[in-house]
Amino acid sequence: MSTDPGIPADGVESVLDEVQRMRAQGGSAAVWTALRRIADSGRAREAAAVSLGFGQRSMRHNAPGDAQRARAAFELAYEAGEGDTVATAAIQLAHFARQDGDVESAKEYLERAAQSETGHVAATAAYELGVLLQRTHDLDGAQRWYRRAMQGEDAGSAAGRASVNLGVLRQEAGDLDSAGELFRWACENGQGKVPGEAAYALGELLRREGETAQAEAMFEWSARARFPAALLALGRLLAAAGRLTEAEAALRQAADDYGDMAALTALGDVLVLRVEPGNDLAHLIVDLSMDEFIHAYTSHLPAGPEIAEAEECYRQAAAAGEHSALVHLGHLLMCTGRGPEADGVLRQAVQVGAAGAEAELATLLFLRGEVAEAARVLEPAVAAGNAAALITRATLYGHEDRPAQAVDLLRRALSVGGAALGAGAQLFILLALLGDLDGAQDALREMITTNDEAGLAALHQLLANLPALQEDLRRARDSGDADVLRQFTARLPEALQD
């Protein structure tokens, strides 16, 4: 570097003091000019630490040129500094490199930063490197660095964040025990917002495993920690358990506190459930006559304050860009006899790619007698393996007296998450009605073994007027005994036909 005669060697400290004062007062351009004069005078090491602080300050502002000056300051600190100054600058430079799409340079910066002797700096770099590798699909490498970020007594907040991310990767790999342990570790050791996020993740894992009481406790903890998604998850869990008053309170709070439009949509669902707790999916497969099929849709949502508020919830959420609300609104309109309006809403939902929109539109078309058009609407979603579309197409096959095709599609639906939509119950009922008692018994055993709450709840609701069969179902669930399952399965067809 060239020497600036305006800054004598013994005067650097006074210039640095002036830089610090200017930095505290703002004036990014003036600070940067002074720092460059020091670096050009051959005293870059003295300017390194101040450059790092200047760069960090500049990153928090959006004044013209701040980002460029920040990057240059980090480069100066990285090239001329030492110890944590270099490591911290490297972490920042890795962010810039990633923005440029230069993944290799970002890795090099972070690997150097991870060598810091200061625990929280090294852990931050390790965590950032894990995130980078995860985004580039190097999952083994990501897991190694997440584990490294968790090591050491001074790992700081990065350790908790790494534990959550590692838990998610272990969960995706099917290692649920390790995932649960990692989420629990983050709940106990994480800092800031991490415990709330970890409690939410653990709650979701427990919910999927059927541990609803423990899941509820974790969602409540996460909600108290102000993790935004927790109230929605808690509300949905309570609604599924039939605890509608508690669910409504949680969902209203989520909508009010966080403007959560998904929660507003779920609130609409809870209001509808207050009026009609029946399960549409069970009706579709059992009521094989067209008249009964139509009746199941056009009579179960009578006008009332709950339905009016539910409709407003759906409309407000849809207007805010929550596409799923369009599907729920279309269904409500269809079920209250407003077919033409439902048609327009559902076609809009299909156009924006809302999940389940094709299934609802196909149902509406079928109710109007447009069977071929209903099947055509479903074709792309069925080909893509959409569970709702597969279930609806199976229902159409049932009404077309093509039960074998219906069974095949219901099995496909179950393989892609259709259990949550009641596909297990539909498959069991259809096989029982067809006289395939072995297949039906296997389907029922699968629902019980996997704790298929949606399917079992649909069966229970279907048997609302048959208390003896409801008791058989309870016994089958509690015991899992093959003879009890067989007895229940054999009695079902006759009971439904009566």
Side-chain angles (χ1 to χ4, degrees), residues 192-221:
K193 298 179 180 179
V194 169
E197 180 182 357
Y200 169 77
L202 180 57
E204 285 289 0
L205 186 151
L206 292 166
R207 180 188 62 78
R208 295 190 188 101
E209 290 296 290
E211 302 290 345
T212 53
Q214 294 182 50
E216 180 182 341
M218 298 314 301
F219 289 145
E220 288 177 343
W221 180 11

Side-chain angles (χ1 to χ4, degrees), residues 290-312:
M290 185 65 173
D291 289 342
E292 290 297 322
F293 179 78
I294 293 173
H295 177 74
Y297 267 93
T298 58
S299 66
H300 76 276
L301 288 184
E306 293 91 349
I307 299 303
E309 185 180 0
E311 180 177 341
E312 178 57 30

Side-chain angles (χ1 to χ4, degrees), residues 94-134:
H95 293 167
F96 283 108
R98 192 168 58 196
Q99 290 173 9
D100 294 341
D102 187 353
V103 175
E104 291 305 315
S105 292
K107 288 180 183 177
E108 292 176 5
Y109 281 129
L110 291 171
E111 286 172 355
R112 179 168 181 185
Q115 298 172 12
S116 171
E117 295 181 359
T118 301
H120 72 271
V121 175
T124 298
Y127 165 75
E128 295 281 358
L129 189 50
V131 171
L132 179 63
L133 294 174
Q134 184 175 350

